[in-house]
Amino acid sequence: GIQKFIGYVPWDHQPLLATLASQVGQELGEADGVIVFDPSAFAKKGTKSVGVGRQWCGRLGKVDNCQVGVYMGYVTHIEHAIVNVRLYLPEDWAKDKARRAEAGIPKTIRFQTRHQLALEMLKECGGDLPHSWIAGDDEMGRPSAFRLDLRTLGERYLIAVPSNTLIRDIEAPAPVYSGRGRHPKNPFIRVDKWCSMLPEDAWTKIDVRDGEKGPLVIEAVKCRVQARTDTGGTGPDEVLFITRKRQPDNTYKIDYYLSNATADVKLSELARVATAAHRIEECFRRAKGEAGLADYQVRTWIAWH
């Protein structure tokens, strides 16, 4: 009876999510709030659960059979909360009429990339959440098209990018002109290689917040760059922001970000936003520990939502 009630009785979850976003915006809203997008995967057995398939599962740290939700979080100095979600439907699911029917997927649902789902949520409830930044992990920042879409929407972003992202340092002196043809430009280079060539005095220490064991100190650097686009072209000017934190084994954990912020944005502000982006992981821990977010045993579209 419970399975049928949860999984097959028609109801629309969207009004509840809209109400949630409105309430969070009213209770936690601050002008410098940060909207964070982050996919989260749930390991599942079998092939019946809606949207399940072999894809990256962050909880397991590998590709495995799982479902993936794209979550929208909201972070301010007051608190942080998850405000919206989209279940990612892989393309093979979207095209399979029999599986769609068995899982009760509405006919209006079509295949969308995780980034398209994020943009849909932003347009849907971003206006209810006072904010000055959009943030996300390196899965969100990998395609340059997503950053361009945010720029087109008039949003300011600080998005993590993978270590193999190709960038051109536009602050460094250009190669000497030979007198013939076009003036040469600095070559594109992997961001991790660019980072490895930085002198020690390039890094600035920043106290970003009080941690459980005292102040959390990171080191950071920023630079104006251009990044390679998804099609191999040259993207617009962006701010490259890199943070590093010393680990117990004396190595560094290094994170890379790109932003469309102006060149005069302070390192401390970029560090605040980067730290805020990690708050969504705490949201997931709360949801899993207090509300059993990952401990469901349902298969259909309605039941998942």
Side-chain angles (χ1 to χ4, degrees):
I2 280 287
Q3 286 282 354
K4 288 183 178 179
F5 175 71
I6 293 175
Y8 298 100
V9 176
W11 72 290
D12 187 359
H13 61 276
Q14 289 303 123
L16 276 177
L17 289 174
T19 299
L20 172 63
S22 177
Q23 289 179 348
V24 169
Q26 292 171 19
E27 295 291 332
L28 308 183
E30 292 182 327
D32 63 352
V34 182
I35 290 176
V36 186
F37 291 107
D38 194 7
S40 186
F42 308 95
K44 292 292 168 184
K45 302 294 184 183
T47 61
K48 299 293 186 179
S49 297
V50 59
V52 73
R54 289 191 60 79
Q55 47 198 332
W56 177 257
C57 182
R59 292 184 72 192
L60 301 177
K62 62 180 181 178
V63 173
D64 208 332
N65 206 53
C66 61
Q67 292 169 296
V68 174
V70 181
Y71 288 83
M72 180 180 186
Y74 182 61
V75 182
T76 68
H77 296 89
I78 303 171
E79 252 291 355
H80 39 278
I82 295 172
V83 295
N84 209 330
V85 64
R86 290 289 188 278
L87 175 63
Y88 172 68
L89 195 67
E91 199 163 5
D92 58 337
W93 264 91
K95 294 178 178 179
D96 193 324
K97 293 182 179 180
R99 292 180 91 187
R100 289 179 65 108
E102 186 177 5
I105 301 172
K107 293 182 179 180
T108 55
I109 300 299
R110 296 290 182 264
F111 171 74
Q112 290 178 287
T113 66
R114 301 177 187 191
H115 298 83
Q116 289 171 330
L117 295 173
L119 292 170
E120 187 178 83
M121 287 188 281
L122 180 60
K123 294 174 183 178
E124 181 178 291
C125 60
D128 292 324
L129 302 166
H131 65 279
S132 58
W133 291 94
I134 305 294
D137 67 1
D138 59 4
E139 181 178 343
M140 300 306 299
R142 180 176 285 107
S144 62
F146 181 62
R147 304 196 307 274
L148 181 60
D149 286 336
L150 291 174
R151 186 185 290 262
T152 302
L153 291 173
E155 298 285 356
R156 184 170 58 163
Y157 60 80
L158 180 72
I159 305 285
V161 294
S163 61
N164 63 353
T165 301
L166 295 176
I167 56 101
R168 169 189 285 153
D169 185 344
I170 58 177
E171 292 184 359
V176 178
Y177 180 50
S178 66
R180 295 183 177 181
R182 295 182 179 180
H183 285 266
K185 297 180 180 180
N186 289 313
F188 283 93
I189 184 174
R190 280 177 56 127
V191 67
D192 55 355
K193 185 175 180 181
W194 182 90
C195 178
S196 70
M197 296 187 295
L198 289 173
E200 277 300 309
D201 60 6
W203 297 93
T204 301
K205 288 187 177 181
I206 304 173
D207 291 342
V208 290
R209 64 176 171 83
D210 287 334
E212 294 179 358
K213 299 180 181 179
L216 175 61
V217 179
I218 64 170
E219 294 178 287
V221 66
K222 68 171 183 171
C223 178
R224 295 295 291 181
V225 302
Q226 293 173 323
R228 277 290 191 205
T229 65
D230 305 330
T231 55
T234 301
D237 291 8
E238 293 179 284
V239 173
L240 169 64
F241 177 63
I242 305 176
T243 65
R244 71 179 188 181
K245 181 183 177 185
R246 192 179 293 274
Q247 303 299 294
D249 62 0
N250 225 31
T251 61
Y252 284 104
K253 181 183 184 300
I254 302 177
D255 292 308
Y256 310 93
Y257 304 85
L258 286 173
S259 173
N260 62 335
T262 55
D264 59 355
V265 63
K266 294 181 179 179
L267 277 175
S268 57
E269 175 64 1
L270 294 171
R272 179 187 73 85
V273 178
T275 303
H278 294 303
R279 295 291 195 187
I280 196 168
E281 296 300 331
E282 186 175 332
C283 290
F284 288 140
R285 285 195 295 271
R286 286 179 179 175
K288 291 170 182 176
E290 299 175 14
L293 176 65
D295 299 320
Y296 54 88
Q297 296 182 15
V298 294
R299 289 181 174 177
T300 67
W301 176 271
I302 290 177
W304 192 90
H305 289 87

